Amino acid sequence: MSNMSSNESEPVCKKPKIETEIEKESVEGETNVHKDLKNFSAFSLDKILYNNSNRKSVCLQGSFDGLSGTAIVLLEKTAFEDEKLKEKGAFFNEKSELKQIFQNDIYGNYECFPEYNPIKTTIIHPATDKHISKYSGNISFMVDETPELYKNIILPHIIEEQFDLSWLYNILDHKKEVERIIYEDNSESNGFVLLPDMKWDGKTIETLHILALVHTRGIKSLRDLSKDHLTLLKNIQTIGQNIIQEKYNIPASQLRVYLHYQPSFYHLHVHFTYLQFDAPGIYTERAHLLSNVISNLELLSDYYQKVSLPFVVQENSTLCKILKSKGILN
Amino acid sequence: MSNMSSNESEPVCKKPKIETEIEKESVEGETNVHKDLKNFSAFSLDKILYNNSNRKSVCLQGSFDGLSGTAIVLLEKTAFEDEKLKEKGAFFNEKSELKQIFQNDIYGNYECFPEYNPIKTTIIHPATDKHISKYSGNISFMVDETPELYKNIILPHIIEEQFDLSWLYNILDHKKEVERIIYEDNSESNGFVLLPDMKWDGKTIETLHILALVHTRGIKSLRDLSKDHLTLLKNIQTIGQNIIQEKYNIPASQLRVYLHYQPSFYHLHVHFTYLQFDAPGIYTERAHLLSNVISNLELLSDYYQKVSLPFVVQENSTLCKILKSKGILN
């Protein structure tokens, strides 16, 4: 009963923390594979962590010859781009070879081999055990998080884990990925950075996925929000929608704007995806629409401290083990 | 009452019947494209009927140079085959070219160009109007429903449409589908009927989908709920979960229990689906988890009269036309 087919449970390609300083040092001191990788000839597969035949994506564990450390390889076939299909001769040309499989009456089945058909690839190397467990498929459980459960178990767990956010601070501090920033509002309390989600190629409108990362530090998740954050949230909503309209020609009515609970990392961020796109993590047990979040805070400033928030936890996670040990899940 | 945005809406790649003998004759009398098709150079695109970026599939309408009649072209990227990935040198070889897009710390994004990466292709030629309408998609719009919008436009529309509920009253009155009832609580104010959703075969646990239909009449949707309905809602939650545990051996932590907004019919009902199942209509813009609904009502009795509820409307619906005519959607 694996749930690999589910969008929701699909392991999300976020950058997880690196556990300790020692571990971090060893990671940085080591040669990673990215320096001069030209093809997959040096890759040896150890294990298929998941294979999602619906999304045409796989996650693999293996290693590269001559390099120590485990590698995680995520492969995902790319969606078709409307623009490319429409452009005369770009896709439909002599190089789009067709090989007939069978034919019956007016119906024919073929294999098509176009000139350009890339596979979106993410390589994590060297990967930690956390990465492996993150990308391994497993079943999920629904947890009904009351304010008490949050205070007594979930929050202490979040603090205990001390997720490393240096990759994110690198972005906010313009130390990394500067060229990927789509828009920035520098305000300390209401500002944010807009950039493509790691899983998005940055150009295919049909799979548009943009993140707003707030500049303010210390807002972990929905649970920390109050009326005080309304200006920030409305700022993200309005500016985000405007920028996406201007830059990608997608109107607000074609956007799904939401926060995750639980989020993949505990620094407030908002997702923008194209409404016609079945993005991962848009199921009701994980995604909270920003406009509804704003409305909730307008109704009740301490809404997110008082409400029960259901969320889904993966079987192989530390949190699931904790919840099981406390008898909250069985 | 369509809910096209969900999985439900995906046009299915089935071969439809050809309507009449006359039509069939004319089809057979004509030269179709399949005789000697080597590539797509002769294809001209007229229209993209749908583009599913999740499944990486598109459906196109166009024509082939020198041939009369419309052609429908279905393209779908292929899923990864476990066997191929595992076979040494079959996928991971020198011909699996990698082009780096960006790199940050241990993470690298690439485009991979393997030796063999076919696109599953179906060509229907000549295609009839029936084929075209069958494969045409339908886009959806996000509507942010404020209490005012509900009162002034949505509610009058619901009343105006006067959705026929006789099929449902037939169930509640034991005039139809009696043998499908899984459980019944006869209480007039807090009772309900539990039965398989029409789309469920009633036995495959992996796609379990059960409905609770309340006995009380007149509760149209979430918008009508108040603290007065807490007993009813908790009753549905507790008994529904218990019955499903007993009868299908699925614990509460493996169930997604939710209401739709907008619902497909305006008589209060609750969905139970298996958590590992990507059921249609479980996206955040449509599904509201019952435990969260209960928590909201406990916080604020008139929560659902005061809150903004986003929902999704289909382009070809009457409601969409009304919203466009009023300038609420454009």
Side-chain angles (χ1 to χ4, degrees):
Chain A
M1 292 210 288
S2 89
N3 54 356
M4 300 315 307
S5 68
S6 134
N7 301 344
E8 194 71 333
S9 59
E10 170 100 0
V12 187
C13 306
K14 281 282 151 47
K15 299 154 187 172
K17 66 162 180 172
I18 293 152
E19 288 305 274
T20 62
E21 277 313 303
I22 295 158
E23 199 171 344
K24 188 160 177 72
E25 261 173 46
S26 78
V27 161
E28 284 183 347
E30 204 165 33
T31 312
N32 69 39
V33 76
H34 304 300
K35 294 272 152 67
D36 197 32
L37 189 63
K38 294 280 173 258
N39 60 54
F40 268 126
S41 58
F43 182 75
S44 294
L45 176 71
D46 291 330
K47 198 177 171 189
I48 297 172
L49 298 178
Y50 71 77
N51 185 345
N52 186 327
S53 55
N54 181 28
R55 286 182 175 270
K56 284 83 178 179
S57 63
V58 282
C59 184
L60 311 169
Q61 181 185 334
S63 59
F64 285 93
D65 294 350
L67 288 174
S68 63
T70 299
I72 284 180
V73 173
L74 297 147
L75 302 173
E76 184 174 355
K77 299 284 173 98
T78 48
F80 291 93
E81 292 171 59
D82 282 4
E83 290 317 308
K84 186 94 194 252
L85 295 169
K86 284 177 188 163
E87 194 190 325
K88 217 161 172 64
F91 184 91
F92 298 107
N93 54 33
E94 280 178 12
K95 287 173 179 162
S96 277
E97 262 181 79
L98 287 167
K99 196 182 137 197
Q100 193 175 91
I101 307 299
F102 72 89
Q103 189 244 323
N104 179 357
D105 196 55
I106 61 170
Y107 306 96
N109 268 22
Y110 300 81
E111 281 184 335
C112 174
F113 300 89
E115 192 180 7
Y116 178 78
N117 187 17
I119 295 172
K120 207 168 63 174
T121 304
T122 301
I123 300 174
I124 306 172
H125 179 264
T128 65
D129 286 348
K130 294 263 166 188
H131 289 100
I132 297 163
S133 119
K134 182 183 184 74
Y135 291 109
S136 298
N138 60 14
I139 72 161
S140 53
F141 295 90
M142 185 76 83
V143 180
D144 197 18
E145 187 191 271
T146 59
E148 294 66 41
L149 179 59
Y150 176 68
K151 210 183 307 168
N152 299 329
I153 295 175
I154 310 295
L155 180 59
H157 166 71
I158 295 168
I159 293 168
E160 167 84 19
E161 288 264 306
Q162 290 186 312
F163 292 96
D164 183 5
L165 294 173
S166 43
W167 66 271
L168 180 135
Y169 298 147
N170 280 344
I171 296 171
L172 294 178
D173 296 340
H174 291 200
K175 287 180 187 165
K176 282 276 180 183
E177 303 186 43
V178 185
E179 69 291 350
R180 299 183 78 233
I181 293 177
I182 295 167
Y183 174 85
E184 180 159 15
D185 176 334
N186 286 314
S187 152
E188 210 173 293
S189 51
N190 298 320
F192 62 94
V193 158
L194 217 58
L195 83 173
D197 182 272
M198 239 189 71
K199 293 185 291 304
W200 187 39
D201 64 8
K203 53 189 185 195
T204 312
I205 298 301
E206 291 71 26
T207 55
L208 180 134
H209 189 169
I210 286 171
L211 286 186
L213 308 171
V214 304
H215 269 303
T216 319
R217 301 189 182 188
I219 312 175
K220 290 185 289 302
S221 75
L222 279 184
R223 281 284 183 205
D224 289 337
L225 292 178
S226 73
K227 262 199 172 77
D228 296 342
H229 303 109
L230 277 171
T231 313
L232 167 64
L233 296 172
K234 288 179 180 177
N235 207 28
I236 292 174
Q237 186 178 43
T238 312
I239 298 178
Q241 287 174 342
N242 289 345
I243 296 289
I244 292 171
Q245 163 81 74
E246 276 170 33
K247 210 174 147 73
Y248 304 99
N249 200 25
I250 298 182
S253 65
Q254 291 291 302
L255 285 178
R256 186 188 286 112
V257 188
Y258 55 97
L259 294 88
H260 277 155
Y261 194 76
Q262 304 284 339
S264 311
F265 55 93
Y266 289 86
H267 173 102
L268 195 75
H269 59 286
V270 176
H271 300 260
F272 292 78
T273 57
Y274 181 45
L275 186 58
Q276 321 303 326
F277 170 41
D278 296 346
I282 59 172
Y283 290 177
T284 184
E285 59 267 25
R286 182 131 195 250
H288 296 252
L289 289 173
L290 179 58
S291 72
N292 189 244
V293 170
I294 289 172
S295 183
N296 287 335
L297 292 171
E298 284 175 335
L299 278 179
L300 220 56
S301 179
D302 55 356
Y303 177 88
Y304 286 103
Q305 290 81 58
K306 282 185 167 172
V307 78
S308 281
L309 289 175
F311 72 89
V312 157
V313 70
Q314 299 299 313
E315 191 177 31
N316 62 3
S317 66
T318 317
L319 184 54
C320 188
K321 280 164 204 138
I322 294 170
L323 292 168
K324 283 187 171 182
S325 74
K326 306 262 181 193
I328 291 151
L329 279 179
N330 43 33
Chain B
M1 292 202 291
S2 71
N3 48 3
M4 306 298 299
S5 74
S6 66
N7 303 349
E8 273 164 353
S9 65
E10 169 93 0
V12 188
C13 303
K14 284 276 151 50
K15 296 167 188 165
K17 63 165 179 173
I18 294 153
E19 290 304 280
T20 64
E21 278 312 302
I22 295 159
E23 199 171 346
K24 190 157 177 73
E25 262 173 46
S26 79
V27 161
E28 284 184 347
E30 206 166 30
T31 314
N32 70 39
V33 76
H34 304 300
K35 296 270 153 65
D36 197 33
L37 189 63
K38 295 279 173 258
N39 60 54
F40 268 126
S41 58
F43 182 75
S44 294
L45 176 71
D46 292 329
K47 200 176 170 190
I48 296 171
L49 297 179
Y50 71 77
N51 185 344
N52 186 325
S53 53
N54 180 29
R55 287 179 178 273
K56 284 81 179 182
S57 63
V58 283
C59 184
L60 311 168
Q61 182 185 334
S63 59
F64 285 93
D65 294 351
L67 288 174
S68 63
T70 299
I72 284 180
V73 173
L74 297 148
L75 302 173
E76 184 173 356
K77 299 283 174 99
T78 47
F80 291 93
E81 292 169 59
D82 282 5
E83 290 318 306
K84 184 96 194 246
L85 294 169
K86 284 176 188 163
E87 193 190 325
K88 215 158 175 69
F91 184 93
F92 297 106
N93 55 33
E94 279 177 14
K95 288 172 179 165
S96 278
E97 261 182 80
L98 287 168
K99 194 183 139 197
Q100 193 175 91
I101 307 298
F102 76 89
Q103 189 242 324
N104 177 353
D105 197 51
I106 59 171
Y107 307 95
N109 268 23
Y110 300 81
E111 282 183 336
C112 173
F113 300 90
E115 191 180 8
Y116 177 77
N117 188 16
I119 295 173
K120 204 168 66 179
T121 304
T122 301
I123 300 174
I124 305 172
H125 179 264
T128 65
D129 287 348
K130 295 258 168 195
H131 289 102
I132 296 164
S133 113
K134 182 184 183 73
Y135 290 109
S136 296
N138 180 14
I139 72 160
S140 53
F141 295 90
M142 185 76 83
V143 180
D144 197 18
E145 187 190 272
T146 60
E148 294 67 42
L149 179 60
Y150 177 69
K151 212 183 304 168
N152 299 329
I153 296 175
I154 310 296
L155 180 58
H157 165 71
I158 295 168
I159 293 167
E160 168 84 18
E161 290 264 305
Q162 288 188 312
F163 294 98
D164 183 8
L165 293 174
S166 42
W167 65 271
L168 180 135
Y169 298 147
N170 282 342
I171 296 171
L172 295 177
D173 296 340
H174 291 202
K175 288 179 186 165
K176 286 270 181 187
E177 301 186 47
V178 185
E179 69 292 350
R180 299 183 76 233
I181 292 177
I182 295 167
Y183 174 85
E184 181 161 14
D185 176 332
N186 286 314
S187 153
E188 211 174 291
S189 52
N190 298 319
F192 61 95
V193 159
L194 217 57
L195 83 173
D197 182 271
M198 248 188 61
K199 293 185 289 301
W200 188 41
D201 65 7
K203 51 188 185 200
T204 313
I205 297 302
E206 287 71 25
T207 56
L208 180 133
H209 189 169
I210 286 170
L211 287 186
L213 308 170
V214 305
H215 270 303
T216 319
R217 302 189 182 188
I219 312 174
K220 290 186 289 303
S221 75
L222 277 184
R223 281 283 183 207
D224 290 337
L225 293 178
S226 73
K227 261 199 171 77
D228 295 344
H229 305 107
L230 278 171
T231 312
L232 167 64
L233 297 172
K234 288 179 179 176
N235 207 27
I236 292 174
Q237 186 178 44
T238 312
I239 298 179
Q241 288 172 343
N242 289 345
I243 296 289
I244 293 171
Q245 164 81 74
E246 276 170 35
K247 209 173 147 73
Y248 303 100
N249 200 25
I250 298 181
S253 64
Q254 291 291 302
L255 284 178
R256 186 188 285 112
V257 188
Y258 55 98
L259 295 87
H260 277 155
Y261 194 77
Q262 303 285 339
S264 311
F265 54 92
Y266 290 87
H267 173 102
L268 194 75
H269 59 285
V270 176
H271 299 260
F272 292 78
T273 57
Y274 180 44
L275 186 58
Q276 321 303 327
F277 169 42
D278 294 350
I282 59 174
Y283 291 175
T284 184
E285 58 267 25
R286 183 134 196 249
H288 297 252
L289 289 174
L290 178 58
S291 72
N292 188 244
V293 170
I294 290 172
S295 183
N296 287 335
L297 293 171
E298 284 175 335
L299 278 179
L300 220 57
S301 178
D302 56 356
Y303 177 88
Y304 285 103
Q305 290 81 58
K306 282 186 168 172
V307 79
S308 281
L309 288 176
F311 73 88
V312 156
V313 71
Q314 297 303 311
E315 193 176 29
N316 62 1
S317 67
T318 318
L319 185 54
C320 188
K321 280 164 203 138
I322 294 170
L323 292 168
K324 282 187 171 183
S325 74
K326 307 261 182 195
I328 289 150
L329 278 179
N330 44 33

